[in-house]
C-alpha cells in the first residue's frame, strides 16, 4: 500500500485491522491508481473507492443488499490509516513486521484533517474543495507553486502578481516587492486566506494585507488544498473568497535532488532551480529538511513586441505614448477651469541655447514612448529552507515542529522620471512662446537613466505543537505559531525636487546644498537633444527612497475533536477550540526626493490582539446503516466563530451546510456562510499624505491634489456566501468523476479607495463624484484658501506649482463604501482508464462568472464588470490529456480564456494555448533507478495575448495575459 501511494502520489486510507496479516503479490504494468489497487485486492473482501481527488479509501466489501434497508457498511473507523505518498514502504505485508511499521509511521485517519472542516476523518465537506498534489503541480509545467496556482481557472491574477507592477496593472500599489498573491473569485488578494500547514502567514506588501507565496519551496510541497467558499466560521478573518492551505511534507525517507532549467524561445527570461531534500524516520518519529534555490532573469520590454512601444497603432490600436515627453511640452492654463493642456512642443534636435518665440508652433505636442528601458518582469533570486520533525513522547502524546524560511531578491528597471516642472526667467535658457514670465512643462528626464527598483522579501514561519489522545476517539492539539514577512525596497535614480528646483533657478543658490547653479550650471529644459552636463544630471537624479515593512502574526491555538454520541447513521462529531492571535505592522524608511538631505519617512507601528472561540458540529442523519430510498446519505454541518478585536470590537460568523446522496455515486452539497475581513492595520492608521498629479478630464489635464491615508473608523467587510453543487461518480463507469458547483458571494462594506482604483478617469466618472471636489483658486477666494492650506501641510509631498495650478481635490482615503456581488459556476471532469499497458487520463476544469457586479458607493448604480479588461473574465478553463506506459509518459493541456471587451466596448479576442509534457521514469532495478526526467513546453505555438488597446502602453491586458510566450524547461529528479 505504501509503495503504491508513493508511486501514484495518492493518499490511501484504510482501517488498520482491514489489512492486518494479509499479503498480496507484485503488480507490474500500467494502471490507474484505483485500478492498481483493485487488482491487488482481487479475491479479497476489500474494495476501493475514491472520495475526492488524490484520496483513495479501502473498506470491507458487503454483499449486495436484499433491500434498501440492508445497506453495505461504509464508515471508516477511528483506527484507519493514511499513508502519505512519501512514506517509502514496500508491499502489502503482514502487520507483524515491526521494521516496516516503524519506517512507515502511518497516520491514523482520525489525525487527517482536510480543509473545510476542523474534524479529523472528514473526507468531504459541504463546501467545494480542490486538491492539487505534487504530481499535478509538476505536470502543470510551472516551476513555482505561485505560478501553478495563478493558472487555476478559479484564481484571478489581476490583483497581486509581479507582472502588474511595471505595466500599469497594479492599481492599489500594495505589491511593492514584486510578490505573488492569490485572489480566488476576483474578490481581492486580501479576501483569500492563505495557510501553510494550517498556519497563517504574515502580511506582505506595503499594506501587509496579502500572503506572498513566492518564497515557498516547490520541492517541499505535498499538496495544496483550496476551499472555494467563504469560511470565516472555521478559520477567522480574510476567508471571504476562500482558503488555500499549502501542505508541506512531514514524512520523507531518503534523499531527493532536483534540477530544472528553462528559457523562453523568444529570448529572455531564463530560469534555473535546484532543490535538495533529506528525510529520515526513526522509532516514534522522523524529520526532513529541504532547500531550494530559484533564479529567473528579467524580461525587458524591448524583448516583446507587445511591450516595447506605447504607439499601438502598428497593432491596430491607438497612440498611447505620453505627453510627458523629451523634448517637453509647454502647457497653457485656463484660469477658469484650471485645465492644463500641452500647447507648444519644444522643438527637437537643438541644444536649447538659441530658441526664440517664433520657433514654437501652437497646437503641437511631443510624445514619448514610456516603455523604453522598462523591465516587464524583474530579475528574481530566491533561497528557501524548510525543516520539520516529530517525536512521540508517550503512547498518547506527540511533539512536532517546523521552520520555514525564504529570502527573495528582486531588481527591475522602472520607467523614465517624468514631472511637471516650472521654469521662469531666472533660468538663463528660458524662452516663452507668448511672452509669459514663467511656464509649466510636461517633461521626461530622458537624459537620466531609468529609475530602478530593487529590494528583498523575507518570509519566516515557525510552529511548535503537541498532539494528545484524550479519551475515546477525542484528540487535542495545542500549538504556537509565529510568522513574519519583511520587505525592503531601495528605489534609486529618482528625481530630487529640491535639486530640480535649484537647478532650474526657481530658488536662489541654496547654502545648505553643495550645488551652485552659477558654478555648476543650470538645468536646461528646452533642449531637443542631450545637452545637459553630467554634473547637473547627477545632482537632480540622485534621489532615492528606502522603505522597510514588517508584518508579524503570533498565535496560541488549542483545538479538540471527537464523538459526542452515536446515532443510527453514525457518530455526531464535534470540534471546538480557541485562539489568541497578535498581529503587528511596522514601516519605516528614508526619503531623499523632497529635501536637501535624507529624512525619515513617517513611521507606522500598529498592532492588534484577537481572541476567538469556535466550534463545528457534524450530524449524520442517514448513511448505509439506516439508508432508505432517496436517502443513501444525509449529513448536516454547523459551525460558528466568535472573535474580539482589540481595535474595533466583536464579530460573529456562522456557517451551515449539508451533504445528501439520493443514490449511490451522486453526492449533492450545499452551504451558506457569513465571512469577514478585518481592516488591515495600515488601512486603519496609515499617516495622512497628499500628492499632486495631472489627471485627464476630456482632452485636458487638471492639476489635482490627491489625499491619501488611513481611517480609524473603518468597520469590517462582510460577505454572505452560498454554494450548491454535486459530484457524480458512477459505479458502472469506474474512474469517471463529474463535478458542478454554483456560488453566489455578496460582499458589502468593502474597504476601498474608489478613486485610486480608476484614478485616470476619476475626474469624469460620475460613480466617484462624491470623492472629487472641483475648485477654481483663480476666481474663488475660498477655494484658493483651501488649496493653499493643503499645499502648505507637511503631509503634502509633491507640488505642481502655485494654488492657481490646481483645479480639483480628490479624496483617496480608505472608506467602507463599496459592495460586490460575484456569481458563477465551476465545472470539473476526470476519467482514467487502462488500455492494456497504456493508461490514459482525461481531466478538465472550468470556471464561469456571469456576475461581477460592483457598486462603488451606496448611491451609485451597480456596474457589471465581468468580461471587462483588467477584471475577471466570463470563462477560464483548462483541460488535460495524459498518457503513460511503463517508464514513459506524455501529457497535453489546453488553456482557454473567453473573449471580452475593454471599458469602451472594443472587443478583445478569446485565447487558446496548448502545453506539452514528455516524461521518463527509470524502472526500479535499472542502473538509473530513482531518476526521472520531464520536458515541459508551455504555450506550444508561442501565441501572444490578445490585443488590448491598453492606456499604459502595453498591447495586452496585464491582469489576464502572459507576455512570456513559449517557454521550454527540463527537470531532472533523482531519488536516493
Amino acid at each position: 500500500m505504501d509503495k503504491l501511494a508513493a508511486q501514484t502520489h495518492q493518499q490511501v486510507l484504510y482501517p488498520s485491522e482491514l489489512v492486518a496479516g494479509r499479503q498480496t503479490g507484485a503488480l507490474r504494468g500500467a494502471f490507474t491508481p484505483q485500478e492498481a489497487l483493485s487488482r491487488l485486492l482481487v479475491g479479497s473482501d476489500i474494495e476501493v473507492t475514491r472520495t475526492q481527488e488524490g484520496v483513495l479509501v479501502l473498506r470491507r466489501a458487503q454483499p449486495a443488499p436484499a433491500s434498501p434497508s440492508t445497506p453495505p457498511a461504509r464508515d471508516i473507523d477511528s483506527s484507519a490509516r493514511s499513508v502519505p505518498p512519501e512514506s517509502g514502504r514496500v508491499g502489502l505485508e503482514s502487520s507483524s513486521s515491526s521494521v516496516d511499521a516503524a519506517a512507515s509511521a502511518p497516520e491514523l485517519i482520525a489525525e487527517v484533517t482536510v480543509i473545510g472542516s476542523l474534524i479529523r476523518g472528514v473526507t468531504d465537506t459541504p463546501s467545494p474543495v480542490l486538491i492539487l498534489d505534487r504530481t499535478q503541480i509538476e505536470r502543470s509545467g510551472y516551476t513555482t507553486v505561485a505560478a501553478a496556482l495563478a493558472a487555476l481557472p478559479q484564481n484571478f491574477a489581476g490583483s497581486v502578481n509581479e507582472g502588474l507592477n511595471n505595466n500599469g496593472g497594479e492599481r492599489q500599489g500594495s505589491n511593492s516587492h514584486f510578490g505573488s498573491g492569490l485572489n480566488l473569485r476576483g474578490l481581492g488578494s486580501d479576501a483569500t486566506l492563505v495557510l501553510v500547514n494550517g498556519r497563517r502567514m504574515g502580511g506582505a506588501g506595503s499594506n501587509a494585507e496579502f500572503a506572498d507565496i513566492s518564497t515557498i519551496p516547490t520541492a517541499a510541497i505535498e499538496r495544496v488544498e483550496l476551499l472555494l467558499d467563504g469560511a470565516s466560521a472555521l478559520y477567522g478573518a480574510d476567508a471571504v473568497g476562500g482558503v488555500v492551505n499549502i501542505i508541506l511534507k512531514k514524512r520523507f525517507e531518503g534523499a531527493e535532488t532536483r534540477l530544472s532549467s528553462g528559457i523562453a524561445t523568444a529570448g529572455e527570461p531564463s530560469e534555473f532551480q535546484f532543490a535538495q531534500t533529506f528525510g529520515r524516520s526513526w522509532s516514534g518519529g522522523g524529520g526532513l529538511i529541504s532547500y531550494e534555490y530559484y533564479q529567473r532573469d528579467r524580461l525587458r520590454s524591448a524583448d516583446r513586441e507587445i511591450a516595447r512601444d506605447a504607439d499601438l497603432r502598428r497593432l491596430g490600436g491607438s497612440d498611447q505614448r505620453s505627453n510627458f515627453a523629451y523634448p517637453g511640452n509647454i502647457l497653457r492654463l485656463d484660469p477658469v477651469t484650471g485645465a492644463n493642456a500641452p500647447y507648444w512642443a519644444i522643438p527637437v534636435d537643438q541644444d536649447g541655447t538659441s530658441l526664440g518665440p517664433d520657433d514654437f508652433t501652437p497646437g503641437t505636442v511631443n510624445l514619448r514612448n514610456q516603455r523604453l528601458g522598462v523591465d516587464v518582469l524583474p530579475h528574481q533570486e530566491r533561497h528557501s529552507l524548510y525543516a520539520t520533525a516529530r517525536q512521540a513522547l508517550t503512547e498518547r502524546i506527540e511533539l512536532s515542529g517546523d521552520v520555514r524560511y525564504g529570502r527573495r531578491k528582486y531588481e527591475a528597471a522602472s520607467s523614465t522620471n517624468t514631472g511637471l516642472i516650472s521654469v521662469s526667467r531666472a533660468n538663463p535658457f528660458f524662452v516663452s512662446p507668448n511672452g509669459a514670465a514663467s511656464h509649466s512643462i510636461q517633461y521626461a528626464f530622458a537624459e537620466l537613466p531609468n529609475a530602478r527598483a530593487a529590494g528583498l522579501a523575507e518570509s519566516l514561519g515557525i510552529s511548535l505543537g503537541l498532539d494528545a489522545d484524550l479519551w475515546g476517539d477525542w484528540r487535542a492539539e495545542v500549538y504556537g505559531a509565529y510568522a513574519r514577512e519583511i520587505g525592503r525596497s531601495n528605489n534609486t535614480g529618482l528625481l530630487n525636487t529640491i535639486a530640480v528646483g535649484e537647478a532650474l533657478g526657481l530658488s536662489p543658490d541654496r547654502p545648505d546644498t553643495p550645488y551652485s547653479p552659477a558654478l555648476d550650471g543650470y538645468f536646461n529644459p528646452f533642449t531637443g537633444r542631450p545637452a545637459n552636463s553630467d554634473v547637473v544630471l547627477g545632482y537632480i537624479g540622485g534621489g532615492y527612497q528606502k522603505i522597510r515593512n514588517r508584518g508579524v502574526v503570533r498565535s496560541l491555538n488549542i483545538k479538540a475533536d471527537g464523538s459526542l454520541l452515536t446515532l443510527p447513521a453514525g457518530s455526531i462529531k464535534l470540534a471546538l477550540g480557541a485562539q489568541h492571535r497578535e498581529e503587528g505592522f511596522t514601516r519605516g524608511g528614508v526619503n531623499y526626493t523632497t529635501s536637501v538631505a535624507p529624512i525619515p519617512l513617517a513611521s507606522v507601528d500598529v498592532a492588534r490582539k484577537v481572541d476567538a472561540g469556535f466550534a463545528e458540529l457534524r450530524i449524520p442523519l442517514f448513511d448505509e446503516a439506516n439508508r432508505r430510498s432517496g436517502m443513501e446519505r444525509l449529513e448536516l454541518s454547523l459551525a460558528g466563530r466568535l472573535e474580539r478585536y482589540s481595535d474595533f470590537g466583536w464579530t460573529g460568523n456562522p456557517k451551515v451546510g449539508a451533504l445528501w446522496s439520493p443514490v449511490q455515486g451522486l453526492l449533492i452539497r450545499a452551504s451558506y456562510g457569513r465571512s469577514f475581513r478585518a481592516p488591515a492595520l495600515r488601512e486603519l492608521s496609515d499617516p495622512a499624505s497628499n500628492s499632486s498629479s495631472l489627471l485627464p478630464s476630456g482632452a485636458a489635464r487638471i492639476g489635482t491634489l490627491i489625499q491619501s491615508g488611513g481611517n480609524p473608523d473603518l468597520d469590517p467587510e462582510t460577505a454572505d456566501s452560498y454554494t450548491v453543487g454535486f459530484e457524480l461518480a458512477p459505479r458502472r463507469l469506474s474512474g469517471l468523476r463529474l463535478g458542478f458547483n454554483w456560488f453566489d458571494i455578496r460582499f458589502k462594506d468593502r474597504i476601498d479607495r474608489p478613486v485610486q482604483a480608476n484614478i485616470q478617469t476619476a475626474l469624469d466618472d460620475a460613480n466617484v463624484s462624491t470623492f472629487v471636489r472641483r475648485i477654481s483658486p483663480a476666481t474663488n477666494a475660498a477655494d484658493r484658501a483651501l488649496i493653499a492650506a493643503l499645499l502648505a501641510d507637511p503631509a503634502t509631498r509633491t507640488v505642481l506649482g502655485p494654488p492657481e495650478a490646481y483645479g480639483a481635490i480628490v479624496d483617496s482615503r480608505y472608506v467602507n463604501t463599496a459592495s460586490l456581488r460575484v456569481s458563477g459556476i465551476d465545472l470539473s471532469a476526470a476519467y482514467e482508464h487502462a488500455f492494456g499497458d497504456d493508461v490514459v487520463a482525461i481531466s478538465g476544469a472550468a470556471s464561469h462568472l456571469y456576475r461581477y457586479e460592483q457598486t462603488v458607493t451606496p448611491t451609485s448604480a451597480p456596474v457589471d464588470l465581468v468580461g471587462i479588461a483588467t477584471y475577471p473574465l466570463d470563462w477560464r478553463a483548462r483541460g488535460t490529456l495524459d498518457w503513460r506506459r511503463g517508464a514513459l509518459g506524455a501529457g497535453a493541456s489546453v488553456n482557454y480564456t473567453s473573449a471580452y471587451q475593454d471599458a469602451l466596448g472594443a472587443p478583445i479576442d478569446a485565447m487558446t494555448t496548448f502545453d506539452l509534457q514528455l516524461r521518463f521514469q527509470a524502472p526500479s532495478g535499472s542502473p538509473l533507478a530513482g531518476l526521472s526526467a520531464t520536458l515541459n513546453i508551455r504555450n506550444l505555438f508561442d501565441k501572444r495575448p490578445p490585443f488590448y488597446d491598453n492606456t499604459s502602453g502595453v498591447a495586452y491586458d496585464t491582469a489576464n495575459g502572459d507576455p512570456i510566450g513559449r517557454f521550454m524547461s527540463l527537470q531532472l529528479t533523482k531519488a536516493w
Side-chain angles (χ1 to χ4, degrees):
M1 286 301 136
D2 299 338
K3 185 174 182 180
L4 181 69
Q7 290 179 350
T8 61
H9 298 284
Q10 305 284 301
Q11 280 192 304
V12 183
L13 311 180
Y14 55 91
S16 55
E17 69 273 11
L18 184 65
V19 299
R22 302 188 187 222
Q23 292 183 331
T24 186
L27 180 68
R28 292 182 175 84
F31 309 97
T32 69
Q34 193 165 346
E35 288 170 337
L37 268 175
S38 297
R39 292 186 180 230
L40 287 171
L41 299 171
V42 166
S44 73
D45 59 348
I46 302 174
E47 64 179 10
V48 57
T49 58
R50 183 185 294 276
T51 61
Q52 61 188 33
E53 189 66 31
V55 179
L56 297 172
V57 175
L58 306 186
R59 63 181 183 182
R60 195 178 305 278
Q62 296 292 323
S67 68
S69 62
T70 58
R74 172 174 180 153
D75 287 344
I76 302 172
D77 67 24
S78 60
S79 62
R81 299 159 56 180
S82 168
V83 181
E86 292 79 22
S87 59
R89 284 184 62 207
V90 179
L92 199 164
E93 302 171 350
S94 169
S95 60
S96 61
S97 173
S98 59
V99 175
D100 287 339
S104 171
E107 296 178 281
L108 297 177
I109 191 174
E111 296 176 2
V112 178
T113 303
V114 177
I115 195 170
S117 177
L118 303 174
I119 298 172
R120 292 164 296 123
V122 170
T123 57
D124 45 27
T125 72
S127 297
V129 172
L130 175 65
I131 297 180
L132 298 177
D133 61 25
R134 177 178 171 180
T135 299
Q136 291 170 299
I137 293 173
E138 290 178 346
R139 292 183 182 178
S140 71
Y142 292 97
T143 306
T144 67
V145 65
L149 295 179
L152 291 175
Q154 295 84 0
N155 184 70
F156 173 55
S159 176
V160 175
N161 81 69
E162 59 176 344
L164 300 177
N165 288 39
N166 277 355
N167 304 294
E170 229 286 80
R171 291 180 291 191
Q172 296 295 342
S174 60
N175 188 18
S176 52
H177 304 105
F178 292 86
S180 298
L182 295 174
N183 182 4
L184 297 178
R185 309 299 192 199
L187 295 174
S189 56
D190 53 0
T192 298
L193 177 62
V194 179
L195 310 172
V196 178
N197 291 337
R199 283 39 167 168
R200 284 178 177 258
M201 299 181 68
S206 57
N207 293 342
E209 62 183 8
F210 73 93
D212 182 6
I213 62 174
S214 64
T215 59
I216 294 176
T218 309
I221 289 176
E222 178 177 305
R223 66 184 186 276
V224 180
E225 302 172 343
L226 298 96
L227 177 65
L228 303 173
D229 189 14
S232 288
L234 298 172
Y235 302 103
D238 306 333
V240 178
V243 183
V244 178
N245 190 15
I246 300 172
I247 307 294
L248 304 181
K249 298 174 184 177
K250 292 186 179 295
R251 289 168 169 80
F252 188 81
E253 191 69 33
E256 181 188 82
T257 305
R258 175 186 295 191
L259 288 171
S260 176
S261 183
I263 190 169
T265 57
E268 302 292 351
S270 64
E271 68 178 22
F272 172 78
Q273 184 184 67
F274 165 78
Q276 181 65 57
T277 302
F278 298 98
R280 182 185 177 189
S281 298
W282 55 80
S283 178
L288 70 86
I289 184 168
S290 183
Y291 165 78
E292 184 172 283
Y293 171 80
Y294 173 80
Q295 183 269 333
R296 192 205 60 212
D297 291 335
R298 73 187 74 245
L299 175 62
R300 297 176 174 87
S301 60
D303 294 331
R304 294 295 182 270
E305 174 65 18
I306 56 175
R308 67 175 178 81
D309 192 342
D311 186 354
L312 302 181
R313 290 176 296 180
R314 70 191 188 282
L315 300 175
S318 307
D319 191 347
Q320 303 289 0
R321 288 177 296 171
S322 174
N323 293 340
F324 286 81
Y326 180 78
N329 295 299
I330 300 175
L331 304 185
R332 187 175 63 169
L333 174 68
D334 185 328
V336 176
T337 64
N340 289 276
Y343 192 68
W344 295 283
I346 296 174
V348 301
D349 197 25
Q350 47 79 34
D351 63 7
T353 60
S354 57
L355 286 176
D358 294 337
D359 293 320
F360 296 88
T361 303
T364 57
V365 178
N366 288 323
L367 298 174
R368 174 170 171 78
N369 176 21
Q370 65 270 28
R371 301 299 304 166
L372 286 174
V374 175
D375 287 338
V376 177
L377 296 174
H379 172 85
Q380 298 263 24
E381 185 177 32
R382 166 173 58 85
H383 299 269
S384 300
L385 184 67
Y386 169 70
T388 184
R390 68 192 186 283
Q391 179 63 52
L393 303 181
T394 70
E395 291 184 356
R396 304 174 68 90
I397 299 176
E398 182 179 83
L399 174 69
S400 63
D402 58 67
V403 177
R404 173 186 52 82
Y405 175 75
R407 179 185 176 94
R408 175 177 57 84
K409 297 174 66 175
Y410 66 89
E411 197 271 333
S414 304
S415 58
T416 301
N417 285 288
T418 62
L420 182 67
I421 61 175
S422 295
V423 61
S424 69
R425 292 174 179 170
N427 187 296
F429 305 105
F430 177 79
V431 59
S432 172
N434 62 355
S438 64
H439 282 294
S440 294
I441 302 175
Q442 288 180 336
Y443 196 79
F445 292 82
E447 294 176 275
L448 292 172
N450 284 31
R452 305 198 76 81
L456 65 86
E458 287 185 293
S459 179
L460 174 66
I462 303 173
S463 179
L464 182 65
L466 288 171
D467 292 308
D469 292 323
L470 301 177
W471 57 86
D473 65 347
W474 277 81
R475 188 169 177 82
E477 176 188 19
V478 180
Y479 71 88
Y482 174 83
R484 186 194 70 194
E485 299 287 325
I486 293 178
R488 296 184 178 92
S489 62
N490 183 18
N491 300 314
T492 58
L494 305 179
L495 291 177
N496 184 295
T497 58
I498 295 293
V500 171
E502 185 177 13
L504 283 169
L506 294 177
S507 59
D509 189 1
R510 300 182 62 116
D512 51 356
T513 70
Y515 186 84
S516 171
L519 298 177
D520 299 310
Y522 285 85
F523 178 73
N524 185 354
F526 294 93
T527 64
R529 62 173 181 263
N532 284 290
S533 71
D534 291 341
V535 174
V536 174
L537 296 175
Y539 180 55
I540 66 173
Y544 61 83
Q545 190 176 68
K546 298 180 179 181
I547 301 175
R548 182 181 187 272
N549 299 322
R550 182 175 182 266
V552 173
V553 177
R554 303 178 182 88
S555 68
L556 182 62
N557 310 263
I558 182 170
K559 186 200 73 147
D561 70 293
S563 298
L564 283 181
L565 54 92
T566 302
L567 299 179
S571 298
I572 296 178
K573 301 271 189 176
L574 173 68
L576 70 167
Q579 180 187 75
H580 174 76
R581 190 169 76 246
E582 297 179 359
E583 301 174 353
F585 175 69
T586 60
R587 184 191 65 184
V590 175
N591 182 37
Y592 183 49
T593 61
T594 59
S595 56
V596 297
I599 58 174
L601 287 170
S603 62
V604 176
D605 189 352
V606 290
R608 65 157 61 112
K609 296 181 180 180
V610 185
D611 293 301
F614 53 87
E616 180 190 2
L617 193 66
R618 298 286 292 250
I619 307 172
L621 300 178
F622 292 94
D623 212 322
E624 282 95 341
N626 65 337
R627 71 178 186 178
R628 60 190 62 183
S629 179
M631 284 291 176
E632 291 286 331
R633 179 187 180 194
L634 180 62
E635 184 173 330
L636 301 181
S637 173
L638 305 172
R641 187 180 182 104
L642 188 65
E643 294 194 334
R644 182 186 181 279
Y645 281 73
S646 60
D647 47 1
F648 65 80
W650 292 88
T651 179
N653 296 274
K655 188 176 181 70
V656 297
L659 293 165
W660 173 42
S661 178
V663 296
Q664 289 188 359
L666 175 62
L667 180 65
I668 298 173
R669 62 179 81 241
S671 69
Y672 161 77
R674 176 170 295 170
S675 300
F676 79 104
R677 185 185 79 86
L681 289 168
R682 187 175 175 184
E683 292 171 344
L684 290 166
S685 54
D686 202 30
S689 65
N690 303 320
S691 60
S692 300
S693 181
L694 283 173
L695 297 184
S697 178
R701 286 185 173 266
I702 306 296
T704 305
L705 189 75
I706 303 172
Q707 298 176 295
S708 303
N711 181 354
D713 297 323
L714 291 174
D715 294 320
E717 302 173 338
T718 60
D720 293 307
S721 302
Y722 305 82
T723 69
V724 177
F726 68 82
E727 291 184 5
L728 180 62
R731 290 199 171 195
R732 293 185 179 180
L733 192 54
S734 176
L736 175 65
R737 295 179 66 85
L738 302 175
F740 168 87
N741 180 61
W742 169 83
F743 58 90
D744 184 44
I745 305 169
R746 304 174 187 185
F747 206 176
K748 59 186 178 182
D749 293 328
R750 292 196 71 193
I751 299 169
D752 201 359
R753 294 185 291 170
V755 172
Q756 188 64 30
N758 298 283
I759 192 68
Q760 292 301 313
T761 61
L763 298 187
D764 296 331
D765 188 347
N767 288 321
V768 296
S769 59
T770 305
F771 305 97
V772 177
R773 176 173 176 172
R774 294 279 190 162
I775 60 174
S776 179
T779 60
N780 187 299
D783 286 350
R784 192 183 195 287
L786 173 63
I787 189 66
L790 289 172
L791 294 177
D793 191 327
T796 300
R797 297 177 296 178
T798 57
V799 176
L800 293 176
E804 289 75 18
Y806 291 83
I809 300 172
V810 168
D811 188 344
S812 186
R813 291 171 289 196
Y814 293 101
V815 289
N816 287 102
T817 181
S819 63
L820 178 65
R821 185 175 180 184
V822 179
S823 306
I825 59 174
D826 294 325
L827 304 173
S828 64
Y831 179 67
E832 260 189 71
H833 188 71
F835 300 89
D837 292 335
D838 299 288
V839 177
V840 177
I842 303 173
S843 64
S847 184
H848 169 52
L849 289 183
Y850 61 82
R851 180 189 288 122
Y852 191 89
E853 195 173 83
Q854 184 180 62
T855 305
V856 177
T857 69
T859 59
S860 62
V863 178
D864 195 350
L865 297 171
V866 66
I868 302 297
T870 75
Y871 289 94
L873 305 183
D874 297 48
W875 283 97
R876 292 188 70 200
R878 179 177 172 87
T880 299
L881 173 64
D882 193 80
W883 164 85
R884 59 187 183 274
R885 179 188 177 98
L888 302 178
S893 299
V894 57
N895 308 283
Y896 172 78
T897 56
S898 59
Y900 56 117
Q901 61 185 23
D902 67 16
L904 301 177
I908 302 173
D909 293 338
M911 184 175 183
T912 303
T913 62
F914 296 87
D915 304 333
L916 180 65
Q917 184 179 82
L918 303 175
R919 303 185 302 272
F920 169 75
Q921 173 73 57
S924 58
S926 71
L928 298 177
L931 176 68
S932 64
T934 304
L935 174 67
N936 286 300
I937 306 177
R938 293 200 317 263
N939 195 352
L940 180 64
F941 300 109
D942 198 22
K943 191 170 183 180
R944 65 188 184 192
F947 175 76
Y948 163 46
D949 199 4
N950 196 333
T951 57
S952 67
V954 295
Y956 66 100
D957 179 1
T958 56
N960 293 294
D962 182 358
I964 291 179
R966 181 168 51 229
F967 190 89
M968 300 180 63
S969 64
L970 177 64
Q971 177 176 295
L972 300 177
T973 304
K974 180 69 170 75
W976 306 89

